[in-house]
Amino acid sequence: MGDLIIKNIAQLVTMRGPNRLRQGEEMRDVEILENGYVVVKDDKIIAVGTGDVYKNYLENHTAVVDATGLVMTPGLVDSHTHLVHAGSREHELTMKLEGYSYLDILKAGGGILNTVQKTRKASFTELYDKAKKSLDIMLSYGTTTVEAKSGYGLDVDTEVKQLEVAKKLNDTHPVDIVSTFMGAHAYPSDYKDNHEAFIETVIDMMPYIKEHGLAEFCDVFCERDVFSYEESLYLLEKAKEYGFMLKIHADEMDSIGAVDIACMLGCVSADHLVETKEEDFEKLAKYHIVANLLPATSFNLNKGYAKARKMIEAGCGIALSTDYNPGSSPTENIQLVMQLAGLKLKMTPKEILTAVTINGACALNREKEIGSIEVGKKADFVLFDVPNIDYLIYHFGINHVKDVYKNGKLVVHNQRVCYKEE
Ligand code: NIG
Ligand code: FE
């Protein structure tokens, strides 16, 4: 009956409950089973419980793993990353230390545009190899599903190249990838004074990307000096007409109405939300828009943090992600994000776990398949070498993963990836 049984789990964080965004106080309502077990058949979970009831599922061929002293959570979901890109931007670190802001660097043709130049020149294989390395790191930290945005091409060939790399990695790598088209990430230098023409260029890319199944979501960097309120609204309206689900980079540096766009168009998530006006929190809650917070970006840019406590009080449903990218958040480490959420956003361990599991799944429209350990869901889970969930947030800056299972298969053992290459 069972192919794999994990037994004697010290704390089994199931996240069982409704397959929808957990909002406000619900984020703290987390089931933790002591001395738990999970039974897997093929790639799915077929039983969850406590004690020795697992014995009913034993067969001759069943593999049994003893998880005494370990904590198990659902596979972590990193629902906002810029995974596929070329190169790195460590030279900007010194500029930032000298006082240049992120947007100053972008205006001077650096920042995102620096990565665009490199990504345009890179071959498919170069992009694939670099992204694969990052996916291995993510997996070794417990991430089993990741979102990946384009947006370092800003021309049709490179945007498609980035999305095709993500598609191939989704086929070959154990981590599941959900792709987002983000042609509206910055204005390329040759369109600096011709925004209208660039916006039409981005819109012209949409049907091809949709028809070839290269992205489920479309995202826009709605920000002062980047894509204005009107431009972002227009782009996302068009994306919706072409059948994309929507996301928006909202209020990262300045608040220019991105939350209103999210509410008007029914964005699945609004991301960043550092400068969001407090009266907008209730709107996010009312429209069940995932508030996707990215504290590693605040940390790395040395900026303010999103007001997570007030958001939760207003009834928002929060997800947490790395925003992994070569500029504002060069880290694949979702555990660091969880620890920053505890230390800087004042979220509790239970809220944090909700944010990186079921609410992350909601941000990717995957809440029926992943995000909790319950019968029928994918057998994606992480065993952490920690005595309890508080410890995971408290002891910061190191990797607490012991093993990771993806679709019922062991893919990380003692922190090392061990999946078979396809
Ligand atoms: O989410 N804000 C826009 N995009 C990314 C940064 C991308 C980059 O700097 O390369 C972000 O922070
Ligand atoms: Fe981002």
Side-chain angles (χ1 to χ4, degrees), residues 80 82 89 102 112 152 185 221 249 252 272 297 323 325-328:
H80 181 140
H82 304 253
R89 308 216 299 266
Y102 180 80
I112 294 173
Y152 290 118
H185 194 195
F221 190 7
H249 275 61
E252 180 178 356
H272 285 287
T297 308
D323 193 18
N325 73 72
S328 65

Side-chain angles (χ1 to χ4, degrees), residues 90-267:
E90 61 274 27
H91 60 281
E92 287 176 10
L93 176 65
T94 319
M95 294 174 76
K96 281 181 211 151
L97 296 175
E98 284 165 356
Y100 292 93
S101 78
Y102 180 80
L103 288 180
D104 290 340
I105 296 170
L106 178 61
K107 266 191 246 163
I112 294 173
L113 295 177
N114 176 294
T115 303
V116 167
Q117 277 178 10
K118 292 173 183 151
T119 306
R120 284 180 178 176
K121 282 192 204 124
S123 69
F124 183 95
T125 312
E126 281 162 348
L127 292 177
Y128 179 92
D129 290 347
K130 179 171 162 64
K132 175 176 179 290
K133 214 167 153 186
S134 285
L135 276 181
D136 282 348
I137 299 172
M138 288 174 173
L139 184 61
S140 70
Y141 278 91
T143 298
T144 50
T145 304
V146 71
E147 185 250 16
K149 299 178 199 294
S150 69
Y152 290 118
L154 314 181
D155 62 27
V156 64
D157 290 350
T158 318
E159 290 290 317
V160 166
K161 180 170 66 176
Q162 276 186 281
L163 292 167
E164 280 177 344
V165 166
K167 189 171 182 176
K168 183 161 175 208
L169 280 165
N170 184 44
D171 293 340
T172 57
H173 195 279
V175 171
D176 282 326
I177 301 177
V178 179
S179 283
T180 297
F181 169 54
M182 198 175 176
H185 194 195
Y187 283 102
S189 314
D190 42 342
Y191 285 94
K192 210 167 53 190
D193 302 313
N194 196 354
H195 287 191
E196 268 173 40
F198 183 64
I199 287 171
E200 290 312 320
T201 307
V202 172
I203 291 168
D204 286 346
M205 297 179 204
M206 290 178 184
Y208 181 91
I209 288 166
K210 189 70 201 158
E211 279 157 28
H212 290 79
L214 288 172
E216 293 176 45
F217 287 89
C218 183
D219 193 345
V220 173
F221 190 7
C222 178
E223 188 65 52
R224 195 179 300 288
D225 294 336
V226 194
F227 291 88
S228 70
Y229 173 89
E230 289 77 17
E231 291 166 347
S232 302
L233 178 61
Y234 178 62
L235 277 154
L236 289 178
E237 267 171 354
K238 289 289 170 196
K240 191 170 176 176
E241 278 170 32
Y242 281 115
F244 289 96
M245 291 177 281
L246 306 180
K247 294 181 170 289
I248 186 162
H249 275 61
D251 309 336
E252 180 178 356
M253 325 275 172
D254 213 339
S255 174
I256 61 165
V259 169
D260 288 332
I261 296 178
C263 296
M264 255 187 281
L265 299 183
C267 287

Side-chain angles (χ1 to χ4, degrees), residues 9-27:
I9 306 160
Q11 286 193 336
L12 167 55
V13 182
T14 67
M15 298 304 314
R16 277 198 286 213
N19 285 331
R20 57 157 175 77
L21 189 64
R22 313 279 172 88
Q23 298 185 223
E25 282 177 11
E26 282 179 333
M27 288 190 68

Side-chain angles (χ1 to χ4, degrees), residues 339-357:
Q339 290 148 1
L340 289 171
L343 296 168
K344 301 292 185 186
L345 305 186
K346 309 273 188 285
M347 291 172 68
T348 67
K350 286 181 177 170
E351 290 167 345
I352 293 167
L353 284 167
T354 300
V356 292
T357 57

